[in-house]
Structures are given as structure tokens and as C-alpha cells.
Amino acid sequence: MILVDGAHNAHGAAEIAEFTRQHLPPSRTLVFGMMSDKDVRQSAAVLFPLFERIVLTRPDPERSMTLEELRGIATGLGCEHEALEDPEAAIA
């Protein structure tokens, strides 16, 4: 099953987190990329701990947070992760 959500702020991330807790059993994979002008750190802090596998990506290189920045956030949260520049590869 693949679910897609375009949440772009902490409120949206909290809704995804609640849905995940209630409806998605482990083992869960999160493919995560976000625009750099959004509250990426707060959204990641809410979501990353709920997933057993995290794949970081860049959906829109012009505006999105770099993989290096995303890796720093994931590492700071103590979350194991993978990083793939291409979103299609990350989803595959």
C-alpha cells in the first residue's frame, strides 16, 4: 500500500502521525522530502519516530531542502535513514 500526502507544516504532520498510529501497522516506510521554506525540522520530529524505514529525497530541487540538510535532521533525531536524490527512485 502506498499513501501520498502533501502536508507542508507541523499541523499536517501531526494529522499524518495520528493516522499512522491508528491505521498503519509496522513495518512502515516513510519517503520524505519537503520544501526548505517550511518547518521541516518540526514535521520530521513528529513523523520520523513512527517509521521503521526512512528514505529522504528532493521532490523539487529548486525549493526543496537538500539531502545534506535532511540527513542532518534525521541524524539529530537519532533516526536511521537512506537518501536518494530522485523521488521516483526513493519511492521504488
Side-chain angles (χ1 to χ4, degrees):
M1 174 187 337
I2 296 175
L3 303 173
V4 177
D5 194 298
H8 60 273
N9 57 37
H11 177 72
E15 292 295 321
I16 294 169
E18 186 61 28
F19 179 87
T20 298
R21 283 198 260 331
Q22 290 183 16
H23 301 288
L24 302 178
S27 163
R28 300 175 285 237
T29 298
L30 174 66
V31 177
F32 185 89
M34 204 165 175
M35 300 303 119
S36 60
D37 60 342
K38 304 300 179 190
D39 192 353
V40 180
R41 290 181 200 287
Q42 188 173 2
S43 295
V46 168
L47 293 173
F48 286 12
L50 300 176
F51 291 84
E52 291 73 32
R53 182 173 178 221
I54 299 167
V55 182
L56 307 173
T57 193
R58 284 190 81 189
D60 180 356
E62 298 300 317
R63 290 185 49 222
S64 63
M65 184 166 274
T66 68
L67 288 182
E68 184 177 298
E69 292 169 311
L70 287 172
R71 282 185 189 125
I73 291 170
T75 299
L77 293 170
C79 298
E80 295 288 325
H81 59 278
E82 302 170 51
L84 295 168
E85 186 81 23
D86 178 38
E88 288 183 37
I91 292 169

